[in-house]
Amino acid sequence: MVCECLVELEHVFIDKTFTYKINKEQLPLLKVGMRVVVPFGKQTLEGFVLKIYENKDVSLENKLKEIISIVDTYPILNEELLTLGKYISKTTLCSLMTSYQAMLPKALKAKKKVNMTPKYDTYICINYGMYNNDIKFNASQEKILELLKENKKVKKEVLNKISVSSVNTLLKKNILLEEKEENYRYNLINEEKIKFNLNEEQQKVYKEIFNSINTNETFLLYGVTGSGKTNVYMKVIEDVIKNNKTAILLVPEISLTPQIIKRFTSYFSNIAVLHSGLSDGEKYDEWRKINEGKVKIVIGARSAIFAPLKNIGVIIIDEEHSQTYKQENNPRYNAIDIANFLQHLNYLNSQYHNCPLILGSATPSLESFARAKKNVYKLLELKNRYNNNTMPKVEIIDMNKEFKKASGYFSNTLIDQIKETLERKEQVILFLNRRGYSSFLTCSSCGYVEKCPNCDISLTYHKSSNMLRCHYCGYATKRKKLCPKCQEEFKDYGIGTEKVEEELKSLIKDAKIIRMDVDTTTTKNAHAKIINSFLEEKYNILVGTQMIAKGLDFPNVTLVGVLNADIGLNFPDFRSSETTFSLLNQVLGRSGRGNKEGKVLIQTFNPEHYAITYTKNHDYLGFYNEEMKIRKILKYPPYYYICSIKIISKDYNLASKSSYDVVNYLKQNIKNEIILGPSVCNVFKLNNNYRFQIIIKYKDINNILEYLTNIEHHYFNKKDIKVEIDFNPL
Ligand code: ADP
Ligand code: ZN
C-alpha cells in the first residue's frame, strides 16, 4: 500500500503530492487526514496524508521511500476539511498547504513548532468488586474510603494528602482503581441556567427559520440593535441540538466578550469558545473537545468556521457586515463564503448537510441586503427593540458652528449633556475611533511633521509612554523635545482616546473615566475587567475606539457621544460611507438598552453627509438606496465584484516596472472586464515597501481567474517582489 502526501516545501508553489510506501505496522493505524513524518531528499518533513491506495505495480512500490512515522492517532483533517481546503486554495489563489494550515490550531499544523501534549488528571474510585465491609482498614484508609463513598471519584492528589502509603496499598490490593481523565486547559464557567421566551416579533422570525431548519436556506436577519437577535439564535441552536446536530456561531473578535459568552453559558452547557485571547494550548484543547464530539456548540471569531464539528445543523454569523470576517493575509478567505460552501458541501455518502445559514445585522452589508432583495437570501426583520424600548434620540452637532465656542474637542452641548447624565447617576459612552494622544506633531515654526521612517504615515503621539508610534508597522520612538530642523517647540494636532480621557478629567469634576482601546487591553482578561467594572458602575464614563461599538450591553448607559464622526468618512475608500454608517449605528445601539430612554450626540464637520443624516433618522433603507445609486454609477460592489492586485517591493523601480508588466498581461488577455491602474496604494510606502495597485472590476470570475492564477504562480515566492491578489478586498 502507498499514500499520497502533501508536504510543506518553501519557495515552490506546488500542490504536488509525493508517494510513500506504508509498512505493515503502519497500515492499520494510518488514515487519510493524519500527519506523517517522511524523508524528503536529505530532510525529514511533516506532511498530510491525502490518499491511501494499493499500488498495482509492486516493483515500482519497492523503489518508494517508506513513511518514517505517523504523528496523529486520529485524522486531524476530516473529509469535510479536506474538501474545503481545496475550495479555499482554488478561490483565493493560495497553495493547498496554506489553506490546510489555516484551518488548524497552531499545535496541529504540519512541521509544528510547539510540542503540546494533552494534560491528564488521575482520579481514584472504589472497586466495589473487591471491597467489602469485613475487610479491616486502618484509620487513614477508612478516611479515604469514606471520602470516596461520598464523592464517587476523587482526584488522587487530594487523597494523597490524607496518606500516600494508604492510597498505594489500597490500589495494590485492587480495592481502589485509578482512572485518567483529560484536564482541558480552558473551561467555561458553569453559569446557573436561565429560561426565557421570545416576544411576538422574535417568535415570528424564529418560526420562519424553524420551518427551514433542514434546508440550505440562507437568512438575512435584519434586526435593529437591541432587538434580541442573540435570543433568536439561542432558540434556533436549542432546536438544532435537540435534533442531535451541532451549531457554529461566529461573532467579530472584539464582540467576543465575556458578556456574550455568559449569555450562552447560562443557557447551554456544551460550548467551546475559540478566540485570540486563548493561549495555543487552550486553543488546542478547545479544538480537541470539538473534534471528539464533547461539545455541540462552537462560538468563535472568523477562523472558528473551520471548527471540526460533525453534523452541523446551523451556521450563524452575527454582525455579518463586519469586516473582520475577511482575512487580510494569505489565505484571503471570507468566512461568509466558507459558510456558504459548507452549507452546500456534498458530504460523505453524498449526504447533504442541509444546514441553514443565518446572517444577522442591524446594518447589513450592501451585498447581503441586495441579495435579500433579489430573494437569494430570505429576509427576516426585527423592527423593534425587545420590550419595545424606543431607539435612542440622535442629535447632530455641527462642529463648523460649535468649534469656536467648544472646549477643545468637546462642544458645549456634549459637555452639558454628559454632566446632566452623570447627575442622574446614569452612564456615558464616548466613542472616538482613534487611539493615542494626538494624531500628529508638527513644528510650530517650520511645519515639520514627524513621520515613520518605514511608512508614508505621520506618527501618533502616545502621552503616557511619551512615545511616537506608527499604527501601521509598530515603529516607535521617544518624542523629541524640539524640532530637529529649527529647534522650535512642537504642537500637537488631532485627538485620540488618550487625550479625550485627559481633557474630560479637567472639564468634568465628577467624571470617573475608564478607557478601552488597543493600548489598555494588552494584558490577558483586560477586556473583561474593563467591561465588568463599568457594568458594576465603578466608572461613569467609558471612552473607547470601535472596540466598544459592538455587542456590549450596559443597561445604565443613556448617553452615547461620538466625538468625531468624520474620521472614517475621510478615508479614501469606496466603502467609507457604508462603514461609517454601520459603525455609527452600532455605537448608537449602546444607548438606552435598559428601561431608560437613550440619547446620542454626534459631533461632525459634515452634518449634511447622508451617512450621518440617515443615521440620525435610524433609516437603514434610505441609506441603502442612496448608497446603491452611487455604487451603480461608479461600478462598485454589489454591481461589480472587485479584485485588487498589489505589487510590492523595497525596490521602487522594480515595483513600478512589474506593475506595468502585470497590467499589460491582464489587458492583453482579459477583454470583457474593467482593468484600472496601476496606481499607488493609499499608503504608498509601508514597512519600507513601495506598493502599487491594480483593480479589476468584474462580473464573471471565470473571465479572470486563469490569468490571475498565472500571475500568482509567476510571482510566487520571488525574493525581491511580491504580488498579493485579493478578491473582494475590504
Ligand atoms: P441585539 O443582538 O439584537 O442587539 P440583544 O440580543 O443583545 O440584541 O438583546 C438586547 C437585550 O434584550 C438583551 O439584554 C437581551 O437579554 C434582552 N432580550 C432580548 N430578547 C429577549 C427575550 N426574548 N427574553 C429576555 N430578554 C431578551
Ligand atoms: Zn510605519
Side-chain angles (χ1 to χ4, degrees):
M1 295 287 266
V2 296
C3 71
E4 296 294 333
C5 193
L6 182 72
V7 292
E8 182 151 62
L9 291 172
E10 276 163 34
H11 311 304
V12 236
F13 186 93
I14 32 172
D15 290 338
K16 191 168 156 6
T17 52
F18 295 88
T19 316
Y20 291 91
K21 211 163 99 179
I22 311 169
N23 72 30
K24 276 209 193 75
E25 287 90 68
Q26 291 165 343
L27 192 58
L29 303 173
L30 190 66
K31 294 202 177 70
V32 169
M34 287 182 178
R35 285 169 300 172
V36 286
V37 179
V38 292
F40 194 89
K42 285 186 186 133
Q43 322 169 53
T44 50
L45 297 175
E46 262 189 27
F48 296 109
V49 174
L50 298 191
K51 204 170 161 191
I52 298 176
Y53 58 98
E54 204 170 338
N55 199 336
K56 298 277 163 11
D57 190 343
V58 180
S59 65
L60 243 177
E61 183 170 326
N62 286 336
K63 285 188 197 138
L64 294 173
K65 289 186 180 164
E66 244 179 48
I67 291 174
I68 297 171
S69 62
I70 305 174
V71 179
D72 299 310
T73 51
Y74 54 86
I76 57 168
L77 289 169
N78 62 27
E79 201 68 30
E80 211 166 326
L81 293 179
L82 284 166
T83 316
L84 182 56
K86 289 178 194 151
Y87 167 80
I88 293 173
S89 148
K90 210 179 99 194
T91 53
T92 72
L93 301 182
C94 71
S95 71
L96 198 50
M97 196 50 155
T98 306
S99 64
Y100 286 144
Q101 301 281 47
M103 301 186 323
L104 294 169
K106 204 171 186 181
L108 290 172
K109 290 187 201 301
K111 222 176 76 179
K112 61 183 171 178
K113 290 172 190 68
V114 271
N115 191 13
M116 227 164 272
T117 42
K119 288 186 188 163
Y120 292 94
D121 286 329
T122 309
Y123 284 87
I124 304 281
C125 59
I126 299 175
N127 180 2
Y128 284 97
M130 295 297 286
Y131 170 83
N132 67 56
N133 285 327
D134 304 338
I135 309 175
K136 274 247 170 306
F137 296 107
N138 67 29
S140 59
Q141 289 174 340
E142 283 288 0
K143 212 166 159 190
I144 289 165
L145 288 162
E146 274 317 301
L147 199 63
L148 284 169
K149 279 180 203 164
E150 276 165 33
N151 295 293
K152 230 168 133 188
K153 65 177 183 186
V154 176
K155 267 194 192 168
K156 190 177 182 180
E157 56 194 67
V158 175
L159 297 180
N160 277 345
K161 278 182 196 142
I162 302 175
S163 156
V164 177
S165 67
S166 297
V167 173
N168 286 335
T169 312
L170 292 171
L171 278 171
K172 246 191 220 134
K173 288 186 177 162
N174 245 334
I175 290 168
L176 295 186
L177 294 175
E178 219 176 59
E179 74 190 30
K180 293 217 185 295
E181 199 169 282
E182 194 158 350
N183 170 2
Y184 292 110
R185 270 158 272 226
Y186 182 76
N187 282 304
L188 292 166
I189 299 166
N190 226 338
E191 298 282 347
E192 205 176 308
K193 300 289 176 279
I194 51 124
K195 283 192 179 137
F196 67 88
N197 294 313
L198 297 179
N199 68 18
E200 210 173 300
E201 207 183 18
Q202 292 170 333
Q203 184 68 23
K204 232 179 102 194
V205 162
Y206 158 79
K207 265 266 158 60
E208 287 258 8
I209 300 171
F210 181 79
N211 291 337
S212 302
I213 203 72
N214 291 317
T215 70
N216 283 332
E217 187 84 65
T218 297
F219 296 95
L220 178 62
L221 175 53
Y222 159 45
V224 299
T225 51
S227 57
K229 295 184 281 294
T230 315
N231 294 68
V232 174
Y233 303 153
M234 291 200 276
K235 289 286 184 195
V236 171
I237 292 174
E238 188 177 19
D239 285 331
V240 162
I241 289 174
K242 273 189 200 143
N243 276 324
N244 247 331
K245 292 187 178 180
T246 60
I248 298 182
L249 169 68
L250 296 191
V251 300
E253 181 75 51
I254 45 174
S255 53
L256 239 180
T257 57
Q259 280 197 313
I260 179 113
I261 294 171
K262 186 169 174 186
R263 278 172 80 177
F264 272 82
T265 43
S266 22
Y267 201 66
F268 298 106
S269 36
N270 34 19
I271 301 174
V273 176
L274 292 170
H275 62 90
S276 63
L278 304 184
S279 69
D280 290 338
E282 289 171 335
K283 278 184 200 152
Y284 172 47
D285 285 3
E286 290 295 279
W287 191 93
R288 278 180 307 115
K289 273 187 219 166
I290 302 164
N291 195 49
E292 288 159 17
K294 291 191 174 143
V295 294
K296 301 265 183 218
I297 305 167
V298 175
I299 305 178
R302 180 178 60 225
S303 65
I305 194 70
F306 301 124
L309 280 173
K310 291 172 191 87
N311 209 1
I312 299 171
V314 70
I315 301 173
I316 301 169
I317 302 187
D318 192 29
E319 315 273 14
E320 65 88 32
H321 62 278
S322 168
Q323 310 208 342
T324 62
Y325 292 123
K326 175 74 196 296
Q327 174 143 312
E328 287 301 296
N329 45 33
N330 221 350
R332 298 186 182 84
Y333 68 89
N334 188 322
I336 298 183
D337 296 336
I338 306 284
N340 260 308
F341 181 77
L342 282 176
Q343 268 187 295
H344 298 100
L345 188 62
N346 206 331
Y347 197 43
L348 274 182
N349 335 325
S350 72
Q351 195 189 336
Y352 274 96
H353 254 315
N354 279 336
C355 147
L357 168 63
I358 305 172
L359 305 173
S361 176
T363 51
S365 73
L366 257 66
E367 281 92 335
S368 295
F369 204 76
R371 279 185 198 140
K373 283 195 120 184
K374 281 173 138 179
N375 292 323
V376 180
Y377 297 163
K378 192 168 202 168
L379 184 64
L380 303 172
E381 281 186 69
L382 291 172
K383 292 189 172 132
N384 303 298
R385 282 189 156 181
Y386 174 72
N387 271 348
N388 285 322
N389 283 357
T390 49
M391 291 304 283
K393 208 166 156 268
V394 181
E395 194 179 316
I396 309 290
I397 300 171
D398 182 353
M399 289 305 278
N400 301 299
K401 290 181 195 147
E402 289 263 349
F403 200 64
K404 286 196 192 80
K405 297 180 277 172
S407 328
Y409 292 85
F410 297 88
S411 62
N412 291 335
T413 321
L414 182 56
I415 291 296
D416 292 345
Q417 295 271 344
I418 294 174
K419 283 181 182 161
E420 278 173 33
T421 310
L422 299 189
E423 265 162 34
R424 291 196 306 269
K425 301 270 176 271
E426 292 162 6
Q427 290 172 293
V428 178
I429 288 182
L430 290 178
F431 170 78
L432 178 70
N433 213 2
R434 186 179 279 148
R435 67 194 170 95
Y437 187 78
S438 54
S439 324
F440 58 92
L441 293 185
T442 167
C443 169
S444 51
S445 162
C446 75
Y448 168 83
V449 173
E450 285 262 24
K451 281 194 156 185
C452 174
N454 312 321
C455 310
D456 213 5
I457 286 290
S458 50
L459 295 169
T460 304
Y461 178 47
H462 289 247
K463 194 173 185 183
S464 59
S465 52
N466 199 33
M467 297 289 266
L468 295 168
R469 291 179 197 282
C470 171
H471 289 181
Y472 283 78
C473 74
Y475 170 87
T477 179
K478 266 238 145 22
R479 175 186 177 157
K480 296 186 190 70
K481 266 226 153 73
L482 301 171
C483 170
K485 290 203 168 153
C486 59
Q487 307 302 319
E488 288 291 327
E489 297 268 332
F490 277 115
K491 256 178 84 175
D492 59 271
Y493 280 93
I495 186 168
T497 42
E498 216 182 312
K499 199 196 256 178
V500 172
E501 189 182 354
E502 186 184 283
E503 292 200 347
L504 263 184
K505 273 183 192 151
S506 65
L507 289 168
I508 296 170
K509 65 175 195 315
D510 296 329
K512 283 176 281 174
I513 307 163
I514 189 160
R515 175 160 61 94
M516 185 151 124
D517 55 29
V518 172
D519 302 316
T520 61
T521 50
T522 47
T523 55
K524 205 172 170 157
N525 295 328
H527 278 102
K529 280 182 202 150
I530 296 175
I531 290 168
N532 285 334
S533 56
F534 191 61
L535 201 60
E536 289 162 11
E537 300 187 27
K538 289 181 186 148
Y539 300 90
N540 49 21
I541 302 179
L542 173 64
V543 173
T545 54
Q546 61 171 329
M547 215 176 249
I548 59 169
K550 291 200 170 111
L552 295 175
D553 198 7
F554 300 112
N556 199 31
V557 169
T558 53
L559 177 66
V560 164
V562 177
L563 279 166
N564 181 353
D566 309 319
I567 291 180
L569 281 181
N570 296 333
F571 211 73
D573 170 24
F574 74 90
R575 274 185 233 269
S576 64
S577 298
E578 184 182 359
T579 44
T580 300
F581 179 80
S582 67
L583 191 56
L584 289 177
N585 276 273
Q586 291 300 327
V587 179
L588 72 84
R590 302 311 110 210
S591 185
R593 290 172 78 89
N595 44 27
K596 282 167 267 183
E597 203 173 309
K599 190 154 192 192
V600 178
L601 296 176
I602 300 179
Q603 299 191 155
T604 172
F605 288 97
N606 299 289
E608 306 297 332
H609 194 290
Y610 64 101
I612 308 242
T613 51
Y614 286 117
T615 298
K616 177 179 160 62
N617 299 325
H618 305 286
D619 186 2
Y620 172 80
L621 276 180
F623 175 80
Y624 170 83
N625 290 327
E626 183 100 24
E627 182 70 15
M628 284 295 271
K629 277 189 234 155
I630 298 170
R631 299 285 180 91
K632 188 168 185 181
I633 294 167
L634 298 179
K635 299 198 161 83
Y636 276 124
Y639 293 97
Y640 281 77
Y641 296 105
I642 282 200
C643 174
S644 120
I645 304 155
K646 289 202 173 88
I647 297 99
I648 302 167
S649 173
K650 294 207 182 336
D651 176 345
Y652 174 88
N653 291 323
L654 182 63
S656 166
K657 183 187 171 298
S658 308
S659 66
Y660 281 98
D661 291 346
V662 171
V663 93
N664 289 338
Y665 172 78
L666 292 173
K667 282 186 175 161
Q668 273 161 26
N669 290 290
I670 299 170
K671 296 294 171 212
N672 302 325
E673 311 287 7
I674 304 165
I675 300 165
L676 302 171
S679 60
V680 297
C681 291
N682 284 344
V683 180
F684 179 42
K685 188 177 150 212
L686 185 71
N687 239 331
N688 289 314
N689 282 301
Y690 295 96
R691 306 176 333 136
F692 289 87
Q693 188 172 33
I694 297 161
I695 297 283
I696 308 179
K697 293 180 177 176
Y698 63 96
K699 289 272 191 192
D700 183 356
I701 186 131
N702 295 313
N703 287 338
I704 64 172
L705 196 56
E706 182 192 338
Y707 308 108
L708 292 172
T709 310
N710 292 343
I711 289 173
E712 173 68 37
H713 285 204
H714 182 75
Y715 286 97
F716 185 78
N717 259 329
K718 281 231 181 349
K719 250 215 193 106
D720 40 10
I721 182 122
K722 233 172 62 184
V723 168
E724 288 179 3
I725 299 175
D726 194 354
F727 295 97
N728 308 311
L730 295 172

